[in-house]
Amino acid sequence: TKLPTCGNNMAFTLYSLIQAAILCINAVAVLHEERFLSKIGWGVDQSVGGFGDEPGVKVQLMNLIRSVRTVMRVPLIAVNSVCIVLLLLFG
Amino acid sequence: MDYTASPGGFRQRKLQPNMRLRNSSMDGSDGSQLFDDTSGAVARNQPGGSQAAGFSGQSLLSDPMSNLAMAYGSSLASQGREMVDKNLDRFIPISKLKYYFAVDTVYVGKKLGLLVFPYMHENWEVSYQQDSPVAPRFDVNAPDLYIPTMGFITYVLVAGLALGTQNRFSPELLGVQASSALVWLIMEVLAVLLSLYLVTVNTDLTTIDLLAFSGYKYVGMIVGVVAGLLFGRSAYYLSLIWCCAAIFVFMIRTLRLKLLSEAAAEGRLVRGTRNQLRMYLTMSIAAAQPIFMYWLTYHLIR
C-alpha cells in the first residue's frame, strides 16, 4: 500500500514494525545450536561464567538468544503461517 | 494505597483497583490519594430513564414489565462492565496507569519549565512514601504520562500545520506522521529495554517510566517547530539546539540517579567496567534524544 510521502521520513507504520519484529525473531530462531553457536563460542554449555554478580554482556546475549529460541519456536510456526497466508492473499 | 515490598530491591506500586468506591472513606489530607474526588451524586443512570419516559408518556414507567426489563438490563450492563474491567486489567494495568496521570496544573507547569531549563534544579531524587513512589502531583521529579501523551498529540497537529504551510498537507499525512512517530517511540523504548537487560542494571525503572522519559522530547520538538514556523529556519535551529541541550541535561540528571550505583551517582569517580558500561548507557540514552528530535522535525521546516 502506497502512503503519501512526507519529506525524507520513512513512512513507518505499525504493520511494518510488526513485520520487522517477526523477521528478527525468525532470524534468531534459525540459529542452530550445534552447527553454529557452539562453533563460535556462543553455545549453551559455554555460558557458565564465573560466580559473582557480573554476568557480562556476552553471557546475557547468549541467554537471550537461547530463551528466545526456546520460547518462540511454537508460536513462530503459527505466526509465520498466518503471515504467509496473508501475503499470498493480499500481496 | 496497598504496597508490597518484594525482594531484589524492586518497588511495586499497587493501587486500589476501584477508585470509585472511595465515597465512604474520604481523606482529603491524605498524601497517598491520587485524584481529588469531584463526583457529586453516585447514581448517574437517572437521565436515561427520564428521557425514555418523556418520549413515550407515562405508560412506560408504570408498566411493571418494562420496569423489570430496565432493571434487568441495567444489572446486566453493570455485570458486563465488571467483567470487562477485570479482564482488561489483566492485559493493561489500568491501576498502574492511573498513577501516571495523577497530575495537576502546577506540576505540569513546573515540569515543562524543567524540560526547557533544567540547569537550576538541584534535587532530582524522586521522593518515596512508605516504599512506593509519590504521585506526580506531589513531586516534580516523578515521571508522568500526561505530558508525553499531550506532547505526542500536539506534535502530530503541529506537524500537520507545518506541512500545511508548505502546501504538502493531506489528511492521510496526519496518520502517517502519527504512526511514524509512534513506531520510532516503540523502537526506542525496546532498544532501551534491551540494553538495560544486557547490562544487567538493577533498577526500578518500569517500561512505562521509560515510555514517559522517551516522550518528554516531544516538548522540545514542538517548541522547535513552532519557533521555526513563526520566525524562520534560524529560529528553528536555535530553539532546537537549546531544547536538545536541555533534554540532554535533563535525561542525564534523571537517569543518573536511577541507573548508576549510589557512589557514581554522587559524582565520585568509581572504577570498574560495570560502572563504565552503565555510564555509557546513560550517555547514549541521553544522546539519542537530540538525534530523534532532529530526525523527526527537520523535514517539517523547509
Side-chain angles (χ1 to χ4, degrees), chain A residues 6-10 12-13 60, chain B residues 168 179-180 197 200 298-299:
Chain A
C6 48
N8 299 336
N9 231 356
M10 296 175 259
F12 275 141
T13 56
Q60 289 288 98
Chain B
R168 278 194 293 154
S179 52
S180 255
Y197 170 77
T200 56
Y298 78 100
H299 62 282

Side-chain angles (χ1 to χ4, degrees), chain A residues 6-57:
Chain A
C6 48
N8 299 336
N9 231 356
M10 296 175 259
F12 275 141
T13 56
L14 280 176
Y15 178 63
S16 55
L17 184 68
I18 296 179
Q19 267 188 328
I22 291 181
L23 283 177
C24 283
I25 299 184
N26 273 328
V28 171
V30 163
L31 300 173
H32 196 273
E33 187 58 53
E34 347 174 314
R35 291 188 207 152
F36 177 64
L37 290 177
S38 304
K39 297 282 171 55
I40 63 171
W42 279 32
V44 179
D45 44 351
Q46 291 142 348
S47 74
V48 180
F51 289 113
D53 55 351
E54 289 221 13
V57 179

Side-chain angles (χ1 to χ4, degrees), chain B residues 52-215:
Chain B
F55 279 137
S56 48
Q58 298 295 323
S59 60
L60 190 61
L61 273 188
S62 56
D63 187 9
M65 275 312 293
S66 60
N67 243 352
L68 201 62
M70 257 190 346
Y72 181 63
S74 63
S75 84
L76 205 59
S78 64
Q79 257 184 16
R81 152 191 271 200
E82 268 177 35
M83 203 168 55
V84 165
D85 274 345
K86 193 161 54 117
N87 282 334
L88 191 61
D89 201 36
R90 236 190 289 162
F91 294 118
I92 311 175
I94 299 263
S95 45
K96 284 198 204 145
L97 274 184
K98 277 191 186 173
Y99 164 83
Y100 287 95
F101 284 98
V103 296
D104 60 351
T105 328
V106 174
Y107 168 82
V108 171
K110 278 201 232 168
K111 193 84 183 199
L112 287 178
L114 210 59
L115 282 170
V116 179
F117 197 80
Y119 308 108
M120 304 287 290
H121 192 75
E122 272 140 18
N123 182 25
W124 291 85
E125 290 243 354
V126 181
S127 43
Y128 284 88
Q129 182 211 21
Q130 297 164 340
D131 205 31
S132 63
V134 174
R137 65 202 329 226
F138 301 116
D139 176 25
V140 82
N141 290 319
D144 72 312
L145 274 183
Y146 175 77
I147 293 181
T149 317
M150 293 295 135
F152 181 75
I153 297 175
T154 314
Y155 162 74
V156 173
L157 294 176
V158 168
L161 186 70
L163 288 174
T165 58
Q166 300 166 24
N167 289 329
R168 278 194 293 154
F169 180 75
S170 73
E172 302 99 41
L173 274 185
L174 277 183
V176 168
Q177 282 285 341
S179 52
S180 255
L182 196 65
V183 163
W184 281 116
L185 189 72
I186 293 178
M187 287 211 293
E188 183 188 345
V189 170
L190 285 179
V192 171
L193 274 176
L194 180 71
S195 43
L196 279 180
Y197 170 77
L198 287 182
V199 177
T200 56
V201 175
N202 261 344
T203 177
D204 55 351
L205 278 181
T206 63
T207 314
I208 310 186
D209 279 339
L210 292 175
L211 194 63
F213 285 136
S214 300

